[in-house]
Amino acid sequence: MPGAHASADDDYVYEIENECLFEWDIVFNTGSHVHHLTRRASRRNRYFSASLNTYRNPPVNASVLNEILDAQDSGTLSVTVTMKIWYHSFFRHILHEMRQTVTNENNLANPSDQAAVLGAFRRRSGGRYRYAREEQQLRDIPAMLSGFDIVPSGGSGPPGVKLYIYLKVKENLATADANNVTEYLVASDYSKVNKYGRYRANAWDASPPPARVPTIEVCLETWERNLWQYFLNYADLTRGRHLMNHIVGQGRTRHTRGGGQPEVVREVRNGIDQLLITANHWGQRREDRTTEAYQYQMSNIFGSIHQSRWRASPVRVIRKLDDMHTYNLNDHAAFILQVGCGHCGEHAAVSFAILCALHGGGMSALLGSIVKSGNANIDHAFVVGGLRPREIIETTIRSSRNSSGSVGDAIDVWNLRDALTDAGAGTDGYVCDPYLDPSQIAQTARALLASLNSARRRSRHKDTDFLWYGDVFPATPALSRTAVASVRNV
């Protein structure tokens, strides 16, 4: 994808090792004869080796294999593949919306066809979901025999021959056809990740590496690597920046029409909310069941995936790629918007990037300093602005009631009360949190301080003046750092 991340690899080879490919007809033309290797798997005859994570074919006459291999050596062999695969269409929709390049304001949170996405799943009792299954027949894909191995039988029978078939999708298909074929194949991997992708302490990518990796994890490594690379290769960050600029434009228009600080921040908050689904369950109101019916249903299914199949969550992919590659502030926000969903951290990252863009675009006096922040003793992120932290406090979590981390974890915080004092009595500041419904969080920094010290929080020993510190804009003048052993109720 031309607008993909700089680390995208157009030459990446997706390994197809997935039982969703259940039927094929591989046609070998040796120049003298045409031979067909056919396979049709079923529940009774899988024709698949889980231990080797590879397909099996019904027996083939040795003379046929010899002719094929001889033709390969002489350069006269041509190969085409027709195959049938299945996948759960919900996961294809995620991939399809993520790779959009058309300059509009559609993404997974705001698709052109909501009914098609919602029709790809059905909620069952107990919060479980059933996914609609689709099949595709991919016809006459040009291919090549890229190698082979002789596999001893381990007994008295004849040896096996392992063939490596390379599909020349990129080289020989039109771009649109190549993109569709790749989407279908990765959707089948994604469907398998959702089926088997529970959190495991001995997962293939666990840190430290596990002493023993279960067989299913060997399969998951292939499927997950394909999935991550697909997101990296096909997320058009240029289009994601268009989505960002669309929200920036909404904020700028609101200001031009007379909107002050609260109105501009509210416009930004609502613009982000329209393009990001809250992708996890949370105990406070988020998507509205009536006015945001589509996003409400999507939030519920993503919440279920987060709880039971975290490795299939698009948020897991966003965070994994952010760990593996370098995204600057705007590219990270563009990537999140292109995917179209996130937890509070992703909502805060997009809020911070867009408010920074408005600040640098002539609204510095209106918006003041912008702080990527969140609760210091509850796992929830948001943006606070219109005032500047006095300092960054380096401390350690001491409270066992702190749900943002574990006792002993390092954490950077800042004192909201001190910042409000420094800003002066006439400054209330603002809060931008598109993750929560506006009724669930204070809209000004001064009201936020009051809620942080409410009677309810005091009764739970969670009252505090401190917020988590993530980043500040503008970065100059630099904030000083002070190390302290602990702060109140963090």
Side-chain angles (χ1 to χ4, degrees):
M1 188 65 67
H5 189 275
S7 298
D9 182 2
D10 193 42
D11 293 324
Y12 179 83
V13 176
Y14 296 88
E15 296 182 18
I16 307 172
E17 297 173 349
N18 186 330
E19 286 187 86
C20 293
L21 197 173
F22 63 92
E23 182 177 324
W24 70 44
D25 179 18
I26 307 176
V27 183
F28 296 92
N29 188 334
T30 67
S32 301
H33 300 93
V34 175
H35 300 289
H36 293 257
L37 266 65
T38 58
R39 168 186 177 271
R40 181 173 178 80
S42 63
R43 289 182 180 273
R44 185 171 182 178
N45 294 307
R46 293 173 61 192
Y47 292 122
F48 191 86
S49 170
S51 60
L52 297 175
N53 198 28
T54 191
Y55 304 100
R56 292 186 182 277
N57 204 83
V60 178
N61 192 289
S63 62
V64 171
L65 289 173
N66 287 333
E67 183 180 338
I68 290 172
L69 298 178
D70 288 343
Q72 170 75 355
D73 291 339
S74 65
T76 62
L77 183 68
S78 65
V79 186
T80 60
V81 179
T82 294
M83 65 176 71
K84 287 185 179 180
I85 63 169
W86 70 265
Y87 51 80
H88 290 136
S89 56
F90 178 71
F91 299 100
R92 185 184 65 79
H93 282 298
I94 295 174
L95 301 179
H96 188 75
E97 293 296 337
M98 182 273 298
R99 73 173 179 92
Q100 291 294 323
T101 58
V102 179
T103 306
N104 57 28
E105 286 69 60
N106 294 132
N107 66 359
L108 186 63
N110 182 42
S112 58
D113 190 349
Q114 294 182 2
V117 180
L118 294 179
F121 63 89
R122 180 166 59 87
R123 185 180 174 90
R124 303 168 65 191
S125 61
R128 296 174 298 170
Y129 286 85
R130 182 182 295 276
Y131 298 95
R133 171 172 161 155
E134 282 185 357
E135 293 184 4
Q136 291 287 342
Q137 184 175 46
L138 310 178
R139 291 179 175 273
D140 301 324
I141 300 174
M144 61 181 287
L145 177 60
S146 60
F148 70 94
D149 290 328
I150 305 298
V151 183
S153 66
S156 59
V161 178
K162 188 173 184 178
L163 303 180
Y164 298 88
I165 306 296
Y166 176 76
L167 302 178
K168 296 194 285 187
V169 172
K170 171 189 167 186
E171 296 85 352
N172 286 49
L173 296 185
T175 300
D177 292 335
N179 289 341
N180 287 335
V181 168
T182 307
E183 179 182 295
Y184 297 144
L185 292 169
V186 176
S188 70
D189 283 345
Y190 203 169
S191 302
K192 287 292 189 180
V193 172
N194 182 62
K195 182 174 182 178
Y196 295 106
R198 296 184 295 275
Y199 172 79
R200 293 182 180 87
N202 56 353
W204 68 269
D205 63 335
S207 182
R212 175 187 168 275
V213 176
T215 298
I216 189 61
E217 287 293 334
V218 175
C219 301
L220 279 162
E221 179 175 3
T222 298
W223 304 333
E224 288 190 284
R225 287 192 184 279
N226 284 348
L227 182 63
W228 300 346
Q229 192 68 43
Y230 187 90
F231 271 76
L232 185 66
N233 283 357
Y234 280 87
D236 184 350
L237 301 184
T238 302
R239 183 179 184 274
R241 285 190 288 274
H242 161 77
L243 297 175
M244 271 189 68
N245 291 335
H246 171 70
I247 302 171
V248 169
Q250 289 176 310
R252 188 174 288 119
T253 298
R254 188 70 186 86
H255 182 50
T256 301
R257 294 176 179 174
Q261 185 187 88
E263 291 77 22
V264 170
V265 173
R266 187 181 308 118
E267 193 75 21
V268 168
R269 183 256 167 227
N270 292 342
I272 297 170
D273 181 37
Q274 185 180 18
L275 293 177
L276 282 185
I277 299 162
T278 60
N280 59 330
H281 293 315
W282 190 252
Q284 292 173 277
R285 182 176 172 183
R286 293 161 292 115
E287 314 291 4
D288 187 273
R289 189 170 192 165
T290 302
T291 61
E292 300 174 295
Y294 168 78
Q295 289 198 7
Y296 177 82
Q297 292 186 64
M298 293 293 286
S299 179
N300 282 339
I301 191 170
F302 279 130
S304 176
I305 290 171
H306 170 241
Q307 287 186 332
S308 62
R309 296 292 188 275
W310 163 238
R311 291 158 73 173
S313 171
V315 181
R316 144 96 163 172
V317 181
I318 291 170
R319 295 182 180 182
K320 200 71 181 181
L321 292 179
D322 192 37
D323 288 342
M324 297 166 65
H325 305 280
T326 301
Y327 285 82
N328 63 35
L329 174 68
N330 289 331
D331 280 353
H332 187 220
F335 182 33
I336 294 167
L337 286 169
Q338 192 70 0
V339 175
C341 64
H343 297 180
C344 60
E346 286 69 36
H347 284 71
V350 174
S351 300
F352 185 66
I354 289 174
L355 289 170
C356 288
L358 284 167
H359 186 289
M363 293 193 194
S364 57
L366 180 76
L367 295 174
S369 292
I370 305 162
V371 189
K372 185 180 177 182
S373 190
N375 292 111
N377 55 18
I378 298 172
D379 186 14
H380 183 58
F382 44 81
V383 168
V384 178
L387 42 81
R388 193 171 183 84
R390 181 181 294 179
E391 61 182 352
I392 304 168
I393 302 169
E394 300 172 349
T395 189
T396 303
I397 293 176
R398 298 294 186 188
S399 172
S400 60
R401 298 179 176 87
N402 191 327
S403 60
S404 70
S406 302
V407 172
D409 288 351
I411 185 172
D412 288 348
V413 299
W414 59 291
N415 190 311
L416 179 58
R417 189 180 298 277
D418 286 351
L420 283 165
T421 299
D422 295 345
T427 300
D428 288 339
Y430 57 85
V431 176
C432 185
D433 184 357
Y435 177 86
L436 289 177
D437 185 270
S439 66
Q440 301 298 300
I441 190 167
Q443 300 302 296
T444 69
R446 196 169 296 279
L448 177 63
L449 178 64
S451 70
L452 291 174
N453 290 278
S454 66
R456 183 170 181 268
R457 281 181 177 261
R458 288 197 301 273
S459 69
R460 299 164 61 200
H461 302 284
K462 286 202 169 186
D463 55 306
T464 187
D465 294 340
F466 298 91
L467 292 173
W468 167 71
Y469 172 83
D471 201 356
V472 68
F473 184 86
T476 55
L479 298 176
S480 62
R481 285 182 169 268
T482 301
V484 300
S486 63
V487 298
R488 180 165 60 93
N489 288 335
V490 172

